[in-house]
Amino acid sequence: MYAPSAWAATPGTVERTPRAPGLGAAFVPLSATAVADAIFDEIRLSGTETRPPELTDRHLEVLASIFDEKHLGNALELVQSGKVKRLVAHRSRRWCFQVRGRTVNETYLCYPDAFCSCRAFQWDVISRGEKVACKHQLAVKLATAVNVVCDSEVTDLLMAQLLEAYARGGGEKKQNK
């Protein structure tokens, strides 16, 4: 018999699944990001040549349980208002995402699985570990899944300059280019 406390989710996990009988009371954690990524894949694959990918109520419910409803709502607002853009360097084809904030002067460099230049990423995701992703990362994943990301080609020099500016911490207040 498993102890009730053994079923409690730990930070960063959605559910703990018991191993097969006879293997003891060890548990394999199911990562919240793995569940979210599976949902994003499901959304992406729901589209066809003639029909765009569909974001269903079930998808929204699962994502809200991982990211919290308000956080998900903020990310959806960014997507619906067209604030997610993929910057693609002309020659090298390297890319990153740029997400506009609430004001015209706020833009954030974003790699959805690894980094965002916003303060919420630094504080809520990295320092406190309270969130799986910031709203900008979530917006990029949603926009990519439903295929509404606008690509913007830039020179390789401009891409290098943007990355350098963000690395120095000066990118978040730069005008959208």
Side-chain angles (χ1 to χ4, degrees), residues 84-88 93 95-97 148-153:
V84 178
K85 179 169 45 171
R86 182 179 15 239
L87 302 177
V88 182
R93 306 311 296 165
W95 54 267
C96 66
F97 289 91
V148 295
V149 175
C150 295
D151 281 355
S152 182
E153 195 167 282

Side-chain angles (χ1 to χ4, degrees), residues 27-145:
F27 293 88
V28 178
L30 183 58
S31 163
T33 54
V35 173
D37 287 343
I39 293 295
F40 293 127
D41 287 342
E42 185 177 301
I43 295 165
R44 194 176 300 107
L45 295 172
S46 72
T48 65
E49 284 185 28
T50 58
R51 187 173 44 90
E54 185 179 1
L55 185 61
T56 66
D57 287 344
R58 185 184 72 76
H59 295 139
L60 292 172
E61 286 174 16
V62 173
L63 293 172
S65 72
I66 295 169
F67 297 105
D68 112 31
E69 200 169 321
K70 182 180 177 191
H71 198 55
L72 179 61
N74 290 335
L76 284 167
E77 190 177 305
L78 291 171
V79 173
Q80 291 168 342
S81 58
K83 293 186 175 185
V84 178
K85 179 169 45 171
R86 182 179 15 239
L87 302 177
V88 182
H90 175 73
R91 191 174 41 84
S92 68
R93 306 311 296 165
R94 291 192 171 132
W95 54 267
C96 66
F97 289 91
Q98 190 177 55
V99 182
R100 284 189 321 223
R102 293 177 190 221
T103 70
V104 140
N105 292 331
E106 291 178 277
T107 60
Y108 302 100
L109 176 80
C110 187
Y111 288 94
D113 293 319
F115 173 79
C116 184
S117 62
C118 74
R119 287 189 179 144
F121 176 79
Q122 300 299 320
W123 182 250
D124 295 332
V125 178
I126 300 297
S127 295
R128 295 188 330 196
E130 291 182 358
K131 295 201 183 294
V132 176
C134 71
K135 70 180 177 184
H136 308 106
Q137 290 175 299
L138 182 52
V140 167
K141 287 184 175 240
L142 287 164
T144 303

Side-chain angles (χ1 to χ4, degrees), residues 6-24:
W7 288 96
T10 59
T13 63
V14 173
E15 175 183 344
R16 293 176 67 91
T17 309
R19 290 188 185 186
L23 295 178

